[in-house]
Amino acid sequence: MVWYFKIWTLVLKGLLLFMLPLILVVIILEKAFSIIQKLIHPITTHLPQEGIFGAGMLPLLAIVILFFITLIAGVWIEKKKVKTIIPFLEDKLLVLIPGYTLLKSRVNEVFGDLDSKCKSVLVGENDQWKFGIEIERNENGYSMVFFPDPPDAKSGELKMIKSDSIKILEVSMSSLTNLIKKYGLGSTSLIK
């Protein structure tokens, strides 16, 4: 591969897999903050004129309101009725966000959500083994496995593989992705 093609590939990956989601989150938070400030602007005459820690009362109040809105949204998401809507949203809308599924699995892992079906695995092919993430397993004896590529572990290859050629690792997905980011350095400690 020509060196400049590799550079452009890395630039595009960085743009699409890192910068775009980050910019979208910043834009959404900025827009939410702006809307809240406009809604509470009429009560600014009743707020003290001096700020706290160098910030005015209006932005601080907007931050507090945004915090409570997200807290209420978090409580609302835990409701049983809402949990039935979330898979529909994920299938139709959220899959369009690059790296969403991998990020969701890592968040579930951090917060101890055992419903996460993704597992760290080793897949054997012709006396060679490859690290992967089992996305799902069906009753016909096949598994969908994502093979992340270094250095970012967000892009890679997706394959349907016979489940009997897969060894499930007792390793968290974050540990596996960190291992892949280091080009496999330290992988011998995972294999028993």
Side-chain angles (χ1 to χ4, degrees):
M1 184 182 304
V2 183
W3 65 270
Y4 53 84
F5 182 72
K6 180 70 173 171
I7 290 174
W8 281 112
T9 304
L10 292 174
V11 167
L12 283 174
K13 281 183 181 180
L15 178 67
L16 294 175
L17 299 176
F18 177 73
M19 291 301 294
L20 185 62
L22 180 66
I23 289 169
L24 287 174
V25 168
V26 168
I27 288 171
I28 290 169
L29 285 175
E30 182 182 20
K31 197 60 148 169
F33 186 71
S34 173
I35 290 170
I36 291 171
Q37 277 192 317
K38 287 177 185 174
L39 289 174
I40 62 174
H41 187 69
I43 66 167
T44 56
T45 57
H46 302 294
L47 295 175
Q49 295 300 320
E50 63 276 349
I52 300 174
F53 303 119
M57 290 305 288
L58 184 65
L60 288 175
L61 186 59
I63 290 170
V64 169
I65 291 172
L66 187 61
F67 171 78
F68 280 111
I69 288 172
T70 54
L71 176 66
I72 291 168
V75 170
W76 186 62
I77 285 175
E78 290 296 316
K79 299 282 185 192
K80 196 172 192 176
K81 289 181 181 178
V82 177
K83 283 190 175 185
T84 60
I85 297 170
I86 290 175
F88 173 78
L89 289 174
E90 287 177 341
D91 289 342
K92 302 297 181 204
L93 183 65
L94 297 176
V95 293
L96 301 174
I97 299 172
Y100 171 77
T101 305
L102 186 61
L103 179 65
K104 181 186 176 225
S105 296
R106 291 185 77 178
V107 167
N108 285 341
E109 180 184 304
V110 168
F111 289 111
D113 187 358
L114 299 176
D115 285 341
S116 179
K117 294 179 171 97
C118 298
K119 296 180 179 101
S120 300
V121 295
L122 264 178
V123 178
E125 293 178 349
N126 303 329
D127 292 331
Q128 297 177 0
W129 294 89
K130 192 171 186 178
F131 289 109
I133 299 168
E134 184 183 54
I135 305 299
E136 67 179 0
R137 188 176 285 219
N138 68 20
E139 63 276 353
N140 298 334
Y142 285 91
S143 295
M144 185 58 70
V145 180
F146 173 67
F147 296 100
D149 286 335
D152 63 359
K154 291 180 191 144
S155 61
E157 184 178 22
L158 194 61
K159 285 186 177 182
M160 179 78 69
I161 296 176
K162 284 193 169 196
S163 299
D164 57 0
S165 65
I166 295 174
K167 290 185 179 180
I168 295 176
L169 296 172
E170 298 298 323
V171 175
S172 66
M173 271 189 39
S174 59
S175 297
L176 182 68
T177 54
N178 286 336
L179 178 82
I180 290 167
K181 287 177 184 178
K182 295 188 277 184
Y183 292 93
L185 184 65
S187 60
T188 54
S189 64
L190 299 179
I191 303 164
K192 296 174 177 142

